[in-house]
Amino acid sequence: MTHKAKPSRTLTTEELARVEGEGAMRVEIHEGTVGRVELNIYEPPRFFEGFLRGRRYSEPPDITARICGICPVAYQMSACRAIEDALGLEVNGQLRELRRLLYCAEWIESHILHIHFLHLPDFFGLDSAIDLAGINRPAVERALALKKIGNELLELIGGRAIHPINVQVGGFYKVPTRRELLAFRPKLEHARDMAAEVVELVGGLDFPELEVDHEMVALRHPTEYAILDGRIISDGGLDITDQEYPEHFVEEHVEHSTALHSRIRARGTYLVGPLARFRLNFDRLTTVAADAAGAVGLTADCSNPFRSIVVRAVETLDVIEVGLAIVDAYDEPDRPYLEATIGGGTGHGATEAPRGLLYHRYKLSDDGVITDAVITPPTSQNQAAIEDDLTRYVQANIGLDDEELRKGAEVTIRNHDPCISCATHFLDLTVVRT
Amino acid sequence: MNNRSGSRPKLAVWKFASCDGCQLTLLDCEDELLEVAGRVEIAHFLEASSARVAGPFDLSLVEGSITTAHDADRIRKVRAESKSLVTIGACATAGGIQALRNFTDVDEFLSVVYATPSFLSTLGTSTPISDHVPVDFELRGCPIDKRQLLEVIGAFLAGRKPNVRDHCVCVECKQRGNPCVLVAHGTPCLGPVTHAGCGGLCPAFNRGCYGCFGPMESPNVESLIGALTEVGMPAEDVDRVFHTFNAWSEPFRTAGRREERP
Ligand code: SF4
Ligand code: SF4
Ligand code: SF4
């Protein structure tokens, strides 16, 4: 390292690569101490909440999907659940199972994309998965094969992998037959074997030291590793329903970002996403996934964000195992959707997007028109925690030269898979040393 | 596919206001990705690589619409550095869903979403790339279709015209053997006026087309509106269905506004 004792410096990255969407970061260092750290999300605002007003209750699943091409199902599921809450509709049984299966497919596709395309190249000092193929082609081919199975399952249930067309309030337009799902089983079994290899691969990486103590927030379900529904809980004592979300969380608009910052009213910064889910729901993992985690030394109390790549791999294995169980128990429902009785009200829906809790709220008029919409994506919720991680990382590694520091800081951000298009909202690093 | 100098052609992917779904379509070409990557030099593709190779670029794929003054400058620079420029998706080709702001006062949206709108600098409009710079080809869809994307990349790199048919979704429905949901079930469907590309997807799932590929070449929108009204679609729903992912492209722009219709 060629660190010269320059007293002050500013570290900046103008365009962060391998994140979804656009953003930049700026770190100010004054006499060896980290001062201001800003994650600047400059992705232009797209105003979804604004133009949802005046649309019909049936439209958010198609419209909000367009917030993010990487996790459209998450938007569709939170939107459906919030609107169903407003309309007093409960989607249970096989329709709920199909929703979980569709969501599992998105987790496979999104986690495999993040692990191999966005995150893993960093651990080898490479620029991209394509470069990674140069040194470990089988790993990249396996990733592509796994991602493809996730996408095919998305297509089977949702019609299309990006912005599925088959989701509606109350259920689906058309449900797959039992035969169709069973025919998919061998692919899922193959995916399970590949996912176990991914856990081994990423479990053996070298992780930079970084311990964080954010309050961790995730959904929790009585019997499942929660994805589609559950209570919103935290290791700081929170235990609430979707409906109580606004009482406990607040979004603030900060000057350096087009994404809003979300805070727990009583306490401030918190973290959603893989680390939080893993900590709060370790006991709900399938045996296969829990054993795989154990074999690579990953425990529930893990608080090193760099290890989130291992958590993602374990979660991928888990959702494949869950998917297999859903397929085995599937019975075609009589009807593809439940009919809604239109009426006014306010509804809330939180689900676990691959990058963390995604909360939607809609107010409907008596004739089913949306009068107000609130969407709180995972990246808004994690922004403050990411800035905090950056501060800690840069402080702990302050002796590195700017280039090394910049690289490390970028990975620190990528740990959280910030989906900036979600938060409206890419990344650049500026370090100012004074 | 090599150019004169024998080096691989340079491919760049750019993002403007969008959801990343269209560029993800390229990464979703699981069977072809490594082959494509072997035949071109990926010079700029932030979602996939932190490597940044300087222009000029042989082919630039552009996702997203122009919604800020900074982006209006940036697309001019991209154009100046690109031999061919192809837009991918409804955002880049038609302004995208974010073009809904074009019909109203953007300040209203700002105040709904942000507590301190003065922190933001955004244009009152979301406009397609072709409003700002010359475009060599526009690929439609929200999102684009991967077979069409591979055809377009292959064609441009080979220096030929892409073979992307411009008929309507109905033709694809026939090819797929879908029963017509409009005729058989009276389900409102925009297929007769919507550009092909999806393979007649929605009708295969028992739902009407909602127009995500935007208007086909010279569609007869008025006649379709008659048919939609006949099957009982309320006027405001007719307006709204045209005003979604391709709201700013003619004739969906005016089809979605009854008061502006002749
Ligand atoms: S056209 Fe649709 S899929 Fe493509 S970037 Fe825009 S919103 Fe996303
Ligand atoms: S279902 Fe729609 S797209 Fe298909 S043939 Fe009928 S009108 Fe055309
Ligand atoms: S049928 Fe219409 S709405 Fe459905 S995918 Fe095709 S173009 Fe899009």
Side-chain angles (χ1 to χ4, degrees):
Chain A
M1 298 314 123
T2 56
H3 171 57
K4 280 192 256 79
K6 244 192 297 169
S8 318
R9 46 185 194 160
T10 305
L11 201 60
T12 59
T13 288
E14 299 283 312
E15 303 176 293
L16 262 136
R18 284 186 282 119
V19 295
E20 292 123 24
E22 306 202 309
M25 61 184 169
R26 179 184 167 91
V27 177
E28 292 176 9
I29 301 170
H30 182 61
E31 287 171 358
T33 306
V34 179
R36 224 177 143 83
V37 173
E38 287 180 352
L39 178 64
N40 169 359
I41 293 191
Y42 60 78
E43 173 93 11
R46 294 169 73 216
F47 306 116
F48 278 86
E49 287 146 309
F51 58 64
L52 280 165
R53 289 185 172 192
R55 313 286 303 200
R56 221 186 255 296
Y57 77 94
S58 49
E59 296 182 84
D62 292 326
I63 291 180
T64 61
R66 269 68 182 185
I67 293 175
C68 177
I70 295 141
C71 60
V73 172
Y75 284 87
Q76 295 187 320
M77 293 300 124
S78 288
C80 284
R81 288 203 44 248
I83 294 163
E84 287 155 9
D85 181 42
L87 299 173
L89 201 60
E90 241 178 274
V91 176
N92 277 321
Q94 290 297 333
L95 287 174
R96 177 177 178 276
E97 293 301 282
L98 273 179
R99 283 186 167 174
R100 284 175 69 212
L101 186 59
L102 179 70
Y103 217 148
C104 287
E106 175 158 288
W107 271 42
I108 300 171
E109 170 274 324
S110 174
H111 273 0
I112 292 300
L113 178 82
H114 185 263
I115 292 170
H116 297 85
F117 282 77
L118 310 184
H119 213 185
L120 194 55
D122 285 325
F123 290 89
F124 295 91
L126 297 170
D127 286 328
S128 70
I130 291 155
D131 293 348
L132 188 61
I135 62 164
N136 190 348
R137 189 163 177 118
V140 175
E141 285 178 346
R142 181 174 61 213
L144 289 166
L146 254 167
K147 190 158 89 55
K148 188 173 171 193
I149 294 172
N151 279 335
E152 287 176 346
L153 187 56
L154 278 160
E155 287 165 10
L156 176 61
I157 306 166
R160 181 160 67 185
I162 302 171
H163 308 329
I165 50 92
N166 190 28
V167 170
Q168 66 169 322
V169 170
F172 296 87
Y173 289 90
K174 185 183 174 184
V175 291
T177 61
R178 174 160 173 76
R179 248 180 120 109
E180 282 172 316
L181 284 192
L182 282 178
F184 203 82
R185 202 179 195 289
K187 288 192 180 174
L188 276 176
E189 286 167 19
H190 181 43
R192 177 172 56 191
D193 299 341
M194 291 191 288
E197 292 166 13
V198 174
V199 175
E200 272 174 49
L201 170 75
V202 299
L205 297 169
D206 277 335
F207 299 99
E209 290 299 327
L210 181 70
E211 297 297 322
V212 297
D213 56 6
H214 310 301
E215 180 163 349
M216 306 237 189
V217 177
L219 286 182
R220 179 149 172 103
H221 183 274
T223 54
E224 301 160 4
Y225 193 87
I227 297 182
L228 187 61
D229 46 30
R231 291 179 67 85
I232 301 168
I233 68 160
S234 83
D235 57 3
L238 197 72
D239 184 355
I240 59 169
T241 61
D242 298 3
Q243 288 75 9
E244 293 169 302
Y245 184 94
E247 288 163 38
H248 295 270
F249 295 85
V250 61
E251 281 191 290
E252 286 167 356
H253 184 192
V254 295
E255 188 160 1
H256 62 273
S257 178
T258 52
L260 302 174
H261 273 213
S262 178
R263 300 158 36 82
I264 298 184
R265 283 186 200 272
R267 297 179 291 277
T269 306
Y270 64 102
L271 186 73
V272 300
L275 276 188
R277 287 191 293 248
F278 195 72
R279 164 161 310 180
L280 296 165
N281 291 294
F282 185 82
D283 58 334
R284 298 276 186 270
L285 283 169
T286 55
T287 316
V288 171
D291 290 350
V296 295
L298 184 71
T299 53
D301 60 5
C302 171
S303 60
N304 181 345
F306 288 95
R307 283 184 174 259
S308 64
I309 191 171
V310 195
V311 177
R312 285 190 179 85
V314 170
E315 286 188 339
T316 308
L317 181 59
D318 191 64
V319 293
I320 296 172
E321 189 71 6
V322 167
L324 281 163
I326 295 175
V327 168
D328 289 339
Y330 180 67
D331 254 331
E332 230 167 287
D334 300 335
R335 285 186 313 160
Y337 64 95
L338 305 180
E339 201 84 52
T341 313
I342 297 165
T346 299
H348 309 251
T351 70
E352 286 286 341
R355 18 204 87 64
L357 195 75
L358 168 60
Y359 165 79
H360 287 218
R361 173 169 78 243
Y362 300 95
K363 223 182 249 164
L364 302 180
S365 67
D366 291 338
D367 50 357
V369 172
I370 296 163
T371 58
D372 189 43
V374 173
I375 297 171
T376 309
T379 302
S380 303
Q381 309 190 64
N382 279 344
Q383 267 205 100
I386 299 174
E387 287 180 351
D388 188 69
D389 285 15
L390 274 173
T391 306
R392 285 173 202 238
Y393 174 81
V394 174
Q395 190 64 61
N397 296 279
I398 209 139
L400 298 179
D401 67 24
D402 281 6
E403 194 45 40
E404 292 292 321
L405 207 49
R406 178 176 301 122
K407 281 192 181 145
E410 286 198 17
V411 193
T412 310
I413 294 171
R414 273 182 221 126
N415 286 336
H416 298 289
D417 190 7
C419 185
I420 295 171
S421 11
C422 299
T424 83
H425 324 300
F426 168 79
L427 304 171
D428 267 285
L429 173 71
T430 311
V431 185
V432 186
R433 303 199 192 224
T434 51
Chain B
M1 245 182 237
N2 290 352
N3 58 16
R4 297 166 313 275
S5 61
S7 62
R8 291 178 298 162
K10 277 186 184 166
L11 175 73
V13 181
W14 308 96
K15 173 186 163 67
F16 293 85
S18 66
C19 83
D20 284 40
C22 287
Q23 49 177 317
L24 179 63
T25 305
L26 185 55
L27 298 180
D28 277 356
C29 298
E30 288 94 4
D31 295 333
E32 299 86 3
L33 185 66
L34 290 177
E35 196 193 325
V36 171
R39 293 221 233 160
V40 299
E41 178 181 9
I42 297 183
H44 186 102
F45 185 2
L46 282 179
E47 185 175 273
S49 174
S50 30
R52 278 151 242 198
V53 180
F57 309 103
D58 292 284
L59 175 60
S60 276
L61 299 175
V62 179
E63 172 192 273
S65 64
I66 304 301
T67 60
T68 65
H70 172 251
D71 278 356
D73 285 340
R74 196 157 60 96
I75 189 63
R76 284 191 284 271
K77 291 192 188 103
V78 168
R79 175 71 262 189
E81 289 192 296
S82 311
K83 208 167 118 202
S84 300
L85 188 153
V86 169
T87 62
I88 52 171
C91 293
T93 301
I97 180 128
Q98 52 276 8
L100 288 173
R101 69 171 76 183
N102 301 3
F103 299 94
T104 161
D105 181 1
V106 75
D107 291 337
E108 204 181 293
F109 287 161
L110 268 171
S111 64
V112 170
V113 183
Y114 296 99
T116 322
S118 59
F119 290 169
L120 289 163
S121 64
T122 181
L123 297 172
T125 51
S126 165
T127 43
I129 301 301
S130 62
D131 276 14
H132 300 265
V133 295
V135 168
D136 297 299
F137 188 79
E138 295 183 314
L139 187 60
R140 287 151 194 276
C142 178
I144 54 172
D145 176 77
K146 69 176 164 194
R147 289 153 301 187
Q148 291 197 334
L149 176 65
L150 288 169
E151 163 60 21
V152 166
I153 293 175
F156 270 87
L157 296 176
R160 63 173 172 83
K161 205 173 158 288
N163 178 14
V164 173
R165 305 284 302 275
D166 56 15
H167 52 231
C168 68
V169 175
C170 292
V171 176
E172 299 188 294
C173 248
K174 304 287 173 290
Q175 287 165 344
R176 191 171 183 145
N178 290 338
C180 175
V181 299
L182 183 64
V183 173
H185 313 296
T187 304
C189 181
L190 294 196
V193 298
T194 299
H195 197 287
C198 68
L201 186 58
C202 291
F205 279 78
N206 296 335
R207 88 177 274 197
C209 169
Y210 57 86
C212 77
F213 273 65
M216 64 179 296
E217 281 294 310
S218 23
N220 190 341
V221 166
E222 283 308 315
S223 140
L224 178 68
I225 290 173
L228 295 176
T229 310
E230 226 165 85
V231 296
M233 194 177 197
E236 61 272 22
D237 287 12
V238 172
D239 287 0
R240 274 202 295 259
V241 73
F242 283 106
H243 268 197
T244 50
F245 310 104
N246 291 277
W248 198 240
S249 59
E250 282 295 3
F252 284 11
R253 193 193 296 185
T254 41
R257 308 233 98 186
R258 264 168 310 152
E259 63 273 27
E260 288 173 20
R261 254 186 252 147

